[in-house]
């Protein structure tokens, strides 16, 4: 693994470590107040472009870089938080908070 891929993978791992804490906070708070689903959607779009880049590299070289899997993991974590956001949105509406 070259230094560029290693740095990219480390960035994805470090970003990925923040999502479980965010998911936990979303589960405990049971509210959407202070959260931005738009931000999370933009993050998913950004990660998706990373995946597309890795697929392009794979098609050119036949090598699927390890960082590809960390993009997938991070996308799944953010999508989990978005799903919890949707649940919390229903709870907020039911409680009359929004």
């Amino acid at each position: 693994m070259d230094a560029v891929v290693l740095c990219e993978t480390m960035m994805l791992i470090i970003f990925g470590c923040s999502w479980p804490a965010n998911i936990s906070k979303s589960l405990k708070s049971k509210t959407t107040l202070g959260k931005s689903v738009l931000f999370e959607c933009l993050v998913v779009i950004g990660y998706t472009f990373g995946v597309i880049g890795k697929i392009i590299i794979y098609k050119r070289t036949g090598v699927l870089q390890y960082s590809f899997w960390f993009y997938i993991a991070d996308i799944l974590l953010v999508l989990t938080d978005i799903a919890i956001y949707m649940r919390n949105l229903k709870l907020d509406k039911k409680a009359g908070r929004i």
Side-chain angles (χ1 to χ4, degrees):
M1 181 183 314
D2 72 2
V4 172
V5 176
L6 178 62
C7 288
E8 179 184 27
T9 301
M10 292 307 299
M11 180 231 11
L12 290 165
I13 290 169
I14 291 167
F15 282 176
C17 288
S18 67
W19 290 112
N22 205 28
I23 289 167
S24 176
K25 184 178 175 185
S26 294
L27 285 169
K28 289 178 187 174
S29 72
K30 296 183 176 153
T31 184
T32 59
L33 300 177
K35 298 275 297 187
S36 172
V37 74
L38 176 60
F39 169 76
E40 291 187 342
C41 289
L42 290 172
V43 169
V44 169
I45 292 168
Y47 284 147
T48 301
F49 277 108
V51 167
I52 292 167
K54 296 303 161 192
I55 292 169
I56 291 169
I57 290 170
Y58 174 73
K59 288 187 176 218
R60 289 181 181 168
T61 66
V63 176
L64 185 61
Q65 296 177 335
Y66 293 108
S67 56
F68 171 86
W69 299 108
F70 291 98
Y71 278 109
I72 298 300
D74 286 355
I75 288 170
L76 292 174
L77 287 167
V78 179
L79 290 175
T80 298
D81 200 43
I82 290 172
I84 296 166
Y85 178 94
M86 295 306 168
R87 179 206 70 165
N88 289 348
L89 184 61
K90 288 180 186 176
L91 294 173
D92 282 341
K93 287 179 180 178
K94 188 175 181 180
R97 288 188 284 259
I98 57 170

